[in-house]
Amino acid sequence: MLAVVVAVLVIYKANFPSYLYRYRLQISLSVDGQIYTGSSVIEVVWKCGPKIADSGRCGPTLDGQAAVIDLGSRGAVVATLRTGDTIYPVPHGAVDAVFICANAFGNRSTYEELPALPHLTGRRDLSPSNFPRLVWFSNPADMTSAQKITVENVANVIDSTARFTEAFVEITSDPVVMNIATKLPWFPALKLAQKGKGVLSMPGQFQLVYNMFVGESS
């Protein structure tokens, strides 16, 4: 009987494989000579169905939360998980958390490359073309103070001395930590209002969506 169960599990995993990896995203911003850093552990899981006609159907989910850089009196910068955009190509080249770590390691998360993802090790710096969506809250307690920023215009928006000094991803086994509500107190209400109810927005319209801040599995 045990042999039959094992055989069924082997067949199931062969036809419905899943690929999991976890990484730390860390970004540092210098303002007026002081370094501010935010980081978060993010877990990506790809679940696939049977391969048919040389192609497979796979879908990703995220666990974890956005990285928040607390700038004190200057507010906070959030590196979101999802870009919050509904048009492609995504404005300013912002990259989804599903792909940003894999991209840094040279893996495009294609069907053929997915099996390599759980075996990634080490750390990679982020390039300006492989960067998360950045949102600046001049007042972290007020979601209406949100403003999109980029690596290129941060000095024009926040402070003339502002510049990103470090940004990297690193494969880790550290646990996922969920405390976004302590950093963005309006978030629980946003999640309650949106999760499971669908969010409609016009193409090109910037709108805060709960899954920009926490993963679907969180």
Side-chain angles (χ1 to χ4, degrees), residues 89-195:
V90 175
H92 308 113
V95 179
D96 193 289
V98 168
F99 302 104
I100 198 167
C101 180
N103 287 349
F105 281 84
N107 186 308
R108 298 168 298 165
S109 300
T110 63
Y111 185 82
E112 291 74 21
E113 293 173 289
L114 291 179
L117 292 175
H119 304 290
L120 296 177
T121 59
R123 164 178 160 171
R124 296 290 187 277
D125 291 332
L126 298 182
S127 67
S129 62
N130 184 42
F131 225 80
R133 162 69 65 224
L134 300 172
V135 181
W136 176 52
F137 292 88
S138 56
N139 177 7
D142 180 6
M143 64 181 291
T144 66
S145 71
Q147 181 177 347
K148 286 194 294 186
I149 63 170
T150 65
V151 173
E152 292 76 18
N153 73 5
V154 62
N156 296 328
V157 178
I158 297 179
D159 187 276
S160 61
T161 65
R163 63 186 182 89
F164 288 95
T165 59
E166 183 179 56
F168 67 85
V169 290
E170 185 173 22
I171 301 300
T172 184
S173 59
D174 290 348
V176 169
V177 175
M178 299 299 300
N179 60 2
I180 195 78
T182 66
K183 302 176 181 183
L184 305 173
W186 44 263
F187 174 73
L190 180 72
K191 183 178 179 181
L192 181 64
Q194 293 182 343
K195 188 172 184 180

Side-chain angles (χ1 to χ4, degrees), residues 57-90:
R57 297 175 62 91
C58 300
T61 57
L62 290 171
D63 191 11
Q65 66 182 29
V68 179
I69 306 173
D70 185 350
L71 302 178
S73 62
R74 292 184 175 90
V77 172
V78 179
T80 68
L81 300 180
R82 303 291 189 180
T83 66
D85 289 288
T86 57
I87 60 174
Y88 296 92
V90 175

